[in-house]
Amino acid sequence: MHAPTDRSTDPPAPAPTAPTKRSGPTTASGPTTTAAAAAPAYRTDLDGLRGIAIALVACFHIWFGRVSGGVDVFLTLSGYFFIGSLVRHTVHAQSARIGFGETISPWPRLKRLLKRLLPALYTVLIAVAVLTALVVPQTRWLNIGREIFASALYYQNYYLAQNSQDYLAASSANSPLQHIWSMSMQGQFFVGALVVLLAVAGLIKLAGRRLPALTRPGVIRAIFAVIVAAVALASFAWAQYRLHIDQPFNYYDTRSRLWEPLVGGLLAIWMPAWRVAAWFRNTVTVVALALIATCGWWLDGVAQYPAALAWVPVGATLMVIWAGQVPAGQSLPAANRILAGRRAVWLGSLAYALYLIHWPLLIFYLTWRGTERATFAEGTVILVVSLGLSWLMKRYIEDPMRGGGRSALRYIRWPAHPRITYTAILTVALIALSAGTAGAIKAWDRHMSTVAVDTANLDPTSYPGARALLEGAPVPALDPQPTPLAVADDLPQTGPDGFMSDFAATEPAVGVYGDPDGAKTIALAGGSHAEMWIGALDAIGKANGFKILTYLKMGCPLTAEPDPTRLEGTPYPECRVWVDNVMAELARTRPDAVFTNSTRPDPAGPADHVPAGYVGIFDELTAQGIPVVGIRDIPWPHGPRGAINTPECLAAGGTARSCGTDRATALHPIDPAVDYAEGNPLFHRLDLSDGVCDADRCPAVVGNIIVYKDYHHLSATYVRTLTRELSRQLAAALPWAGPELP
């Protein structure tokens, strides 16, 4: 999926579960009201498990660029603590003199959640906004600003899910807030569980007046277990189903993730009280910890979670919880005692702050250094700094704001004004800084709304574009157009017109361009790398009297490949169905030619190649007597550090050359489609590489026009400067499509 690495899609935030030090039982929602709620003895070994989990998350992020099982540990623990608290509250509400309103009121728990979560989160979001302005190119400010809002309002997971569906939003891949998606998912879970289960508690309270049997603890637990299990089963089935339909969205989807905390909640509702030997419990914990620690190496979480294989870390967490829930009088297994050790528990107490801090720190460091990976030494420093900042966050922000005797700072008062406390000052500061950050983001959003692409009438002598390479046109010293801030919106006209089908579509949306009354027809078919050429083809069609019909779908070239995938490698079955439907339509309408891509970057090595799936399409069309015009794909910008987002590179101070690509690493000296063209007279190859690259380099700016609008799509403005050369080559292949433009 993405630059800098697959880390950018990685894990969720630690659950805001119980604090590490207190005298009575506490849950994610806060302490239970009285001992009558029958909360289990506090489990410090689970705090240690959180410490292990956050260590895995941070280390896998920083050193290995993989998804660990740590996040799933947090999700499972969240459900165990939170649902367990709600069940105990319901049992207590039936046995004590607690009114109906108090039984169903979510505010006490919601207030504790807000005090637990928001101060640290908003502190990090403010810091991210400041560092973005200092470190990140302006081309990314708009997206990060919107992610700050999405994170603050707990819908970041769906913001990212929607953007992962947007084939044109590749520049968001390195977000310093990518990791907040899991906190958004957990926040949605907490609120949903709170509302639903407190409503159930209220119904039990009302019905219990006529049916006293409903108020028995065992019956209450059974009711909750049925509800939680039903939702968990539905969520798991949805996750498994969507795994093969739309995994990029599935990964972030709360509906797919719900089962993970819910099965933890089921264990809180019913804990098997099996009497087994201590050695067996110890073995269970050791095996479970081994699974949690290693599953990041042998499972690809990005491609496989939250479906069936997520049971590995989730099930292992349940095993640790069960193994440490020993009968009265029996000591903890040795492995659980190690988890309850001072260092592991201390690390667990920092889990929330450490999760919030380590990922932005890593991303800003990589952005500042202009690299994709941190070395082992750099990663170690990032971890140490993250730990130090997390300790400061917990001591000076989290604990004082949470209260409950966690911090002496809470009781510091301004001598002259006793009502002015440390927490009051901190609260005002956070509110003021958050409001200022929101205002600055909105101001930048308004500014960006005024930035528009206006290049339709550029003076060709001042902005020759591709003609500088193809015809040796002189290039005056002018700033390039569109600007780096605007070029991302320099789109082919088919997108705004509604003729670029999205990822979910299986039926083509056909657009009509060129001369609608033309006697001849070219079908432009494929993905966005075919779509790029519509601006030039439209002008050629109008000038030469032929019609262009478009059959376009995001990320879906015309291919005979049986199981196509997206760029990130996830299955793309909608593409297979869409291509079959397009091919049936082409066979029915029989256009005079089909215009599509003939090459693609070679995944097995440098330069480009003709994929076997493309050849299958060429064979099928030409066998029906339909000519194929295959245009060689453009170079995809890259350098020693990986893929290059051209606007970002230029906005960060790069030049046309430094943001460009060595031609030899992107293109073979000879078009790879030559051999196929020589053997099939109905296949006509086009190669406009010399209009994008010189003999050695494919620059980011040519003829005062920015060549690319993102990682691998030409700007619509630059495509228009290739119109004359495209017309010349097209007329040579299809004489009726000429004469070439003057």
Side-chain angles (χ1 to χ4, degrees), residues 12 156 213 367 522 637 678 687 705:
Q156 170 75 332
T367 302
I522 289 180
E678 290 178 348
D687 184 358
I705 295 178

Side-chain angles (χ1 to χ4, degrees), residues 192-271:
L194 199 59
V195 171
V196 172
L197 296 184
L198 286 180
V200 172
L203 291 174
I204 293 173
K205 185 81 172 177
L206 292 175
R209 296 170 183 174
R210 296 194 175 192
L211 299 171
L214 289 177
T215 64
R216 296 173 185 170
V219 175
I220 292 172
R221 291 181 179 276
I223 293 171
F224 272 77
V226 169
I227 294 170
V228 171
V231 178
L233 283 171
S235 171
F236 178 74
W238 179 254
Q240 190 65 32
Y241 168 70
R242 295 292 291 175
L243 174 70
H244 303 294
I245 300 286
D246 192 356
Q247 173 58 11
F249 193 100
N250 193 46
Y251 185 84
Y252 295 113
D253 191 358
T254 297
R255 295 168 297 179
S256 300
R257 291 278 179 177
L258 272 178
W259 71 269
E260 298 187 68
L262 289 177
V263 295
L266 282 173
L267 192 61
I269 295 170
W270 178 72
M271 176 73 70

Side-chain angles (χ1 to χ4, degrees), residues 355-715:
Y355 188 86
L356 285 174
I357 289 169
H358 82 280
W359 176 258
L361 195 63
L362 170 65
I363 295 303
F364 283 122
Y365 176 78
L366 295 178
T367 302
W368 175 65
R369 283 292 310 277
T371 186
E372 292 185 10
R373 279 185 177 275
T375 65
F376 181 81
E378 291 170 332
T380 302
V381 172
I382 291 171
L383 283 172
V384 171
V385 173
S386 298
L387 277 170
L389 293 175
S390 300
W391 180 83
L392 292 172
M393 174 85 81
K394 184 176 186 300
R395 177 174 173 80
Y396 293 103
I397 295 177
E398 283 190 79
D399 287 350
M401 294 299 289
R402 291 179 67 189
R406 293 176 178 84
S407 173
L409 294 174
R410 184 176 178 84
Y411 305 104
I412 295 177
R413 299 178 183 275
W414 196 264
H417 301 279
R419 291 187 178 182
I420 301 179
T421 64
Y422 176 85
T423 53
I425 295 172
L426 183 57
T427 300
V428 171
L430 283 175
I431 291 174
L433 290 171
S434 297
T437 300
I441 292 170
K442 284 298 184 183
W444 183 256
D445 212 330
R446 287 193 296 271
H447 167 70
M448 287 301 297
S449 68
T450 66
V451 175
V453 177
D454 185 17
T455 58
N457 298 309
L458 286 177
D459 178 5
T461 61
S462 299
Y463 299 94
R467 292 186 295 275
L469 292 176
L470 294 167
E471 302 167 15
V475 182
L478 296 170
D479 290 336
Q481 292 294 324
T483 66
L485 279 180
V487 72
D489 292 324
D490 196 13
L491 306 172
Q493 61 217 71
T494 41
D497 289 348
F499 298 118
M500 181 53 154
S501 299
D502 62 22
F503 284 99
T506 55
E507 293 291 337
V510 182
V512 181
Y513 294 90
D515 181 355
D517 300 318
K520 298 283 190 178
T521 300
I522 289 180
L524 173 64
S528 57
H529 281 248
E531 180 199 28
M532 290 187 302
W533 301 104
I534 184 59
L537 285 172
D538 183 44
I540 298 169
K542 283 182 169 70
N544 292 282
F546 63 84
K547 178 167 53 179
I548 300 164
L549 299 179
T550 62
Y551 303 83
L552 303 166
K553 178 174 169 63
M554 292 180 178
C556 184
L558 279 190
T559 177
E561 188 180 357
D563 299 303
T565 61
R566 300 191 189 186
L567 280 179
E568 68 272 14
T570 56
Y572 195 5
E574 297 92 342
C575 180
R576 175 72 272 140
V577 178
W578 182 86
V579 169
D580 289 343
N581 289 335
V582 168
M583 293 298 287
E585 179 69 8
L586 295 177
R588 184 184 68 81
T589 60
R590 299 190 61 80
D592 297 285
V594 172
F595 187 106
T596 191
N597 296 107
S598 61
T599 67
R600 194 173 181 84
D602 190 347
D608 52 346
H609 75 136
V610 179
Y614 290 16
V615 173
I617 293 294
F618 304 157
D619 288 344
E620 184 175 344
L621 289 171
T622 56
Q624 299 174 47
I626 301 174
V628 174
V629 177
I631 189 165
R632 188 179 189 181
D633 202 2
I634 58 171
W636 291 28
H638 63 273
R641 294 172 177 170
I644 295 174
N645 184 317
T646 297
E648 283 187 19
C649 185
L650 294 171
T655 65
R657 184 166 185 82
S658 67
C659 296
T661 303
D662 283 338
R663 179 167 180 157
T665 66
L667 299 172
H668 276 293
I670 300 174
D671 183 353
V674 166
D675 289 342
Y676 184 85
E678 290 178 348
N680 188 337
L682 285 180
F683 178 84
H684 309 283
R685 67 176 190 86
L686 308 184
D687 184 358
L688 273 68
S689 301
D690 288 342
V692 180
C693 308
D694 59 29
D696 303 310
R697 193 82 174 159
C698 306
V701 179
V702 173
N704 289 335
I705 295 178
I706 295 179
V707 179
Y708 296 89
K709 72 177 191 64
D710 54 24
Y711 284 104
H712 49 77
H713 297 95
L714 296 179
S715 68

